[in-house]
Amino acid sequence: MRGLTRAGKRASEMAFNAGGGVINWFPGHMAAASRAIRDRLKLADLVIEVRDSRIPLSSANEDLQPVLSAKRRILALNKKDLANPNMMNMWLDHFESRKQDCISINSHSSNSINQLLGLVELKLKEAILKEPTLLVMVVGVPNVGKSALINSIHRIARSRFPVNDKIKRATVGPLPGVTQDIAGYKIASQPSIYVLDTPGVLVPSIPDMETGLKLALTGAVKDSVVGEERIAKYLLSLLNIRKTPLHWERLLHRREEFDEEPGHSCGKGSRDSLRRRKRINNSDALYVQDLVMEVQATLCSTAMEFTGNIDEETGLESLIDAQLLALRKVFRIPHRPLDESHGPTAKKLLTLFRAGKLGPFVLDDLPDEIKQ
């Protein structure tokens, strides 16, 4: 993972981002929400700041950091199932070295949420002895999984605490910014503990294009703000700079059961056998698995066959264009004359990445003092 900062900056400054300028990430409703969050933070006994494990730094709301650092705070790095576990451990060490309570979680895992609740109780141990009512506030940028986390807390709290009040559910949607109001949810009695859910709020402007593209890639803003093709090209640039498609060659070789030419995992034999498997298997899960293998095989083969220099911007852009054209065939997207758009291809590629089908990633680079 060394050198990712340099690589990420190169990717963010490529020609397909030229002229983009500072993107307006801040919808109107976020201004009012940000003010409301600041007011309620004054009352919170503890703050759970939820971030995306794939971007532990880029998913922080920098405008709120001065306020949050003065509170009892737990950093919850959510979606750990989508992040590289080795890198995740290094990030946990990093935050621990900075005296920040941090835990990696999967908001859909009961085990993860139990660990988080245990840390919350530990952090509130002294306050519980003094206060009859405690407030825990959940904050974070859009689409880091705050509402899903609160819903999971509710399910576990019902079995752990004698809660008599009706417990409401947080609204969860597929698009960032669905929760647009602040609501309190009672999760425990004796003492009474309330969790406050908040809308996801980004900073008013993100002048660092690299951070902005990472937020877009992980779904913190709607794709329409940046453009799916632009985001997909950024993803491919990162994969190629890291040489990830070449690393897939060994993985594909191990997984390919019907490859007639074992030494050519990225070649035509692999793709033909993948098509045979799709004819044999009718299961949606098996279809997705086969599709992912074909995507990986295609990105691998195009990278291996490319004769240009990806250390040069024009060479990397040529490789990305070739990969998008090849993926159009993989995704069975019909070619229309005079249609140069990669929109449908980009959409399908981003869907696979965001679901973790292409593998676990951490996009942020560790600070220099933590690198091994």
Side-chain angles (χ1 to χ4, degrees):
M1 298 294 292
R2 291 184 181 180
L4 182 55
T5 298
R6 178 177 57 85
K9 186 172 292 185
R10 281 177 51 200
S12 66
E13 293 177 350
M14 289 177 63
F16 55 77
N17 289 314
V22 178
I23 297 173
N24 179 18
W25 314 86
F26 202 68
H29 72 271
M30 286 190 182
S34 183
R35 289 192 296 270
I37 288 172
R38 289 178 180 276
D39 289 341
R40 284 159 177 78
L41 275 172
K42 299 173 184 177
L43 305 175
D45 296 286
L46 183 143
V47 178
I48 299 175
E49 183 186 356
V50 186
R51 299 187 188 178
D52 191 315
S53 289
R54 296 167 295 180
I55 46 173
L57 290 183
S58 297
S59 56
N61 186 320
E62 290 298 332
D63 279 9
L64 290 179
Q65 292 309 304
V67 180
L68 296 177
S69 62
K71 308 289 296 186
R72 292 188 189 91
R73 173 174 57 163
I74 296 173
L75 292 181
L77 303 183
N78 194 22
K79 306 185 182 183
K80 71 174 186 178
D81 53 310
L82 303 179
N84 182 301
N86 294 328
M87 291 303 303
M88 199 73 269
N89 289 333
M90 295 176 71
W91 274 104
L92 292 174
D93 290 342
H94 163 67
F95 288 117
E96 182 180 348
S97 71
R98 296 173 65 90
K99 309 300 181 185
Q100 294 180 334
D101 291 290
C102 183
I103 183 173
S104 59
I105 65 169
N106 176 350
S107 60
H108 300 289
S109 164
S110 296
N111 184 52
S112 276
I113 305 308
N114 274 317
Q115 291 180 24
L116 176 61
L117 288 175
L119 187 54
V120 168
E121 289 183 75
L122 181 64
K123 292 285 288 183
L124 288 177
K125 188 173 183 179
E126 292 184 4
I128 285 175
L129 301 176
K130 302 175 183 178
E131 299 291 339
T133 302
L134 299 171
L135 296 180
V136 177
M137 194 165 182
V138 180
V139 301
V141 301
N143 207 36
V144 290
K146 299 181 305 301
S147 297
L149 168 61
I150 287 179
N151 288 336
S152 294
I153 289 176
H154 287 170
R155 286 193 293 271
I156 293 175
R158 276 197 280 266
S159 64
R160 291 185 57 182
F161 302 109
V163 180
N164 297 320
D165 299 54
K166 181 179 180 181
I167 299 177
K168 299 178 181 179
R169 286 177 57 83
T171 301
V172 181
L175 298 177
V178 168
T179 308
Q180 296 186 5
D181 196 2
I182 298 178
Y185 306 91
K186 187 174 184 179
I187 63 168
S189 300
Q190 301 175 355
S192 296
I193 299 179
Y194 288 84
V195 171
L196 301 183
D197 186 24
T198 62
V201 177
L202 290 164
V203 295
S205 64
I206 304 176
D208 178 1
M209 184 60 70
E210 181 183 353
T211 298
L213 287 168
K214 289 176 183 176
L215 287 166
L217 179 55
T218 53
V221 293
K222 296 178 181 179
D223 288 342
S224 57
V225 174
V226 184
E228 289 170 334
E229 184 173 334
R230 188 180 185 189
I231 301 170
K233 286 184 174 182
Y234 176 68
L235 169 61
L236 288 174
S237 66
L238 288 180
L239 294 179
N240 287 308
I241 288 170
R242 293 181 175 192
K243 303 188 184 304
T244 302
L246 301 182
H247 297 157
W248 282 334
E249 182 183 14
R250 293 188 298 273
L251 175 64
L252 290 165
H253 177 68
R254 289 196 301 267
R255 291 192 312 192
E256 182 50 61
E257 300 175 357
F258 301 102
D259 193 354
E260 297 175 358
E261 300 178 24
H264 302 283
S265 303
C266 296
K268 182 177 182 297
S270 176
R271 290 194 289 271
D272 288 344
S273 60
L274 290 174
R275 294 189 183 100
R276 287 199 298 274
R277 290 182 64 187
K278 280 196 280 291
R279 288 197 293 271
I280 295 171
N281 302 322
N282 295 321
S283 161
D284 286 344
L286 289 173
Y287 170 76
V288 172
Q289 178 186 357
D290 289 341
L291 178 62
V292 169
M293 289 180 65
E294 191 165 2
V295 167
Q296 291 176 325
T298 299
L299 293 180
C300 177
S301 62
T302 51
M304 292 185 70
E305 295 165 3
F306 186 68
T307 58
N309 184 3
I310 67 168
D311 290 330
E312 296 179 356
E313 181 176 334
T314 55
L316 184 55
E317 288 182 345
S318 296
L319 173 57
I320 290 172
D321 286 337
Q323 289 174 326
L324 286 171
L325 285 174
L327 288 176
R328 178 192 286 262
K329 297 178 181 178
V330 172
F331 292 133
R332 315 297 189 263
I333 297 172
H335 178 73
R336 296 180 177 86
L338 303 180
D339 180 12
E340 300 297 330
S341 171
H342 294 299
T345 304
K347 184 180 183 68
K348 290 181 179 293
L349 179 64
L350 291 175
T351 298
L352 291 178
F353 171 80
R354 289 166 178 167
K357 301 300 183 183
L358 299 182
F361 293 90
V362 174
L363 304 179
D364 279 341
D365 195 23
L366 279 162
D368 290 336
E369 67 269 17
I370 301 297
K371 294 178 184 177
Q372 302 298 321

